[in-house]
Amino acid sequence: MKKILYMIWSFAAICGAIGCSDDGDELMPGATEHYTATTMIFTADRSEQVVSLNIKGDDYTVYTPTADGWITYHKAAGQLKVMVQSNMTSEVRESKIVVISNGIQETIPVVQDIYRPMLFKTDLLMRGLGGTREFPFECTCEGPFTIEVDALSKSWLSAELNEETGILKLAAEGQPIGSSQRTGKVIVKATSPLGIPASFELPVIQSAVRGESYVFTMPDFSESRVYKVMYNGTQLAEVCMEFLSDNNATSETVKVDCQAIVVYPIGEDGKADLAQGYVAKVIKANTGEYVYTYAAPTTPIHGGTVAWDKETNSIISYRDGVLETAPNRICIPGDDVIGHEVVASALECTVEPDLVYDNRPNDTPRTYSIVKIGTQYWMRENLMAKCWVDGEKIPTSTIEERYNARKPTAVVIAKKDGTTTLFPDIWTDDPVDAQIIEEQIQKTGVMYNFNCINRITIPESQTYIDYWMSTLGHYVDLPVDGDVLAPEGWMVCSRDQLVTLRDYVDEPSIKIDGSANGPRMRRIRNLDAYPSLSYKLLFGYEDEDITGMNLILTPRHNGTVLSDGALKDQLGWPSSVNNSYQLTRTCCQLRNNANTAWTDGTAGFVTFTTQNGSYYNYFYNMTRIWGVRCIRK
């Protein structure tokens, strides 16, 4: 390889003390004779040397450049002890010492070699399972080079060095499972830039082997947006098709806006370690043309990394990969992080969808798919339960009871004989009605009032307004422990959890049709039925449900009235395309759109809606009945 040569003080031919000076050096005041001593050459380490002087006594004055504090000295008769500090820089250090006495001036050139003339861009890290790796280096040394492995490392480590290509090649024997990290050492010998024989000890680290290595094939995500990598009944990793966004990122260096497939190892707590995400594939990335335009990447970007902060629900680091083609086989090595390099001895894993199995007594068994959005895990379908988790049927109610929100109530709104019909009796014995109800439940879920969450019946002596008066002026969440509506391990979400979701996915300033925001979490259906909107939605259509939340346009029931424009369905009922509502567990003082309290002091709850073009939390009184989307505890 090309050598980097330094032009320094000429020290090859200058010897001993001798000769009057005519080299142009300035004489100090009072000096009439000038001598130049042999150049003192120091290695990069802290060291000292003694130089003999033409001045025989110890009555002399020493001058050193003020800026060169790395040089110190000690005077003695006829000689000077010179001491230098370690040179940790990448440049040769040059200075001089001037000694003067009785008209005689003597200059002593001082040169110190550089620190580690052989430089590597990365640490010499070898995999615990063994193998060969090449490490490029830059060097300021002169050849010929020799390399050897120290005696204690020869049993597992070998090394070759190619001076012309600038490559150090290391080969390591694999360690057994359960072994810890070990350190070896290679020794390189050459000649330093100053012509000094140089010997460099380079530490080599071999990683530990935690366990077996595993390999799996990517799923197709047809059943869920989250899959589990399993081996003999143990989950090893989690695979998510998710939306990666730099919204809320704690660092300005985080730049990402894409839909990707990410693999996370399972930590010791049995949960996905979100600090070690491997971005196996970028499915669609923002094109930059519009906020909501996404397309498959055209540059090498697969194989990157992502790390999350659960406290802030944000990405704290993201790095693009360098792979042109996304890998379909992923390895979980026992000695390294997850990646596309498959270990030959890796064990084959199975991959299965992560689903919510809701088999509550007396109800139809239901299965829900899951989606990860930020650090939250949500059900991708509205809750369909007609019973509480203990099997007790959720009651229906009279018109008056629904209007007064006195008791838990579950209803279904569906089309019968071409018209919209409220089915308050979801336990009907009529086979035709039962089939209509079940078909609608599978499409949009069941609608519940606030009392259903914790099975609350308001005493006869009180109205719902009286009952919830103690919460006025506050946000109060029904206790999670009392949640008898959500499947095991899940809960009806709170207002704060919805705000967290909204802040991660929202782009509130961008509206694509004058009233509706980008899809982000919604499935857009039947655009052909809305020709006036189709062209306006065109550039946002690529963003359809990019988060995978799968929100459908759901009905809402206000007491006994089905208001025009409030009934939404993904199968083409006449409606606009911008509303979706979800019930939360948060009770509050009912507020108007200016977020100030109504004068009547009515109690209400928070719902999540895409109304008016963005994802906001709205406040509705207890007479309303909505769909429920659960979140993992």
Side-chain angles (χ1 to χ4, degrees), residues 400-401 404-407 451 456-470:
E400 182 181 0
E401 286 173 330
N404 290 323
R406 303 193 58 80
K407 59 186 289 188
N451 306 60
I456 296 168
T457 298
I458 297 175
E460 291 290 336
S461 59
Q462 293 180 286
T463 65
Y464 79 91
I465 297 176
D466 296 330
Y467 186 81
W468 294 106
M469 280 297 291
S470 61

Side-chain angles (χ1 to χ4, degrees), residues 2 35 51-52 55 69 78 85 94 106 162 205 253 263 281-282 285 310 508 510 538 605 614:
K2 184 179 179 180
Y35 299 90
V51 59
S52 297
I55 300 168
Q85 301 296 318
E94 304 173 60
E106 190 161 357
N162 189 316
I205 299 174
T253 61
V263 184
K281 180 179 182 178
V282 174
K310 290 184 178 181
I510 305 299
L538 183 60
F605 62 86
S614 193

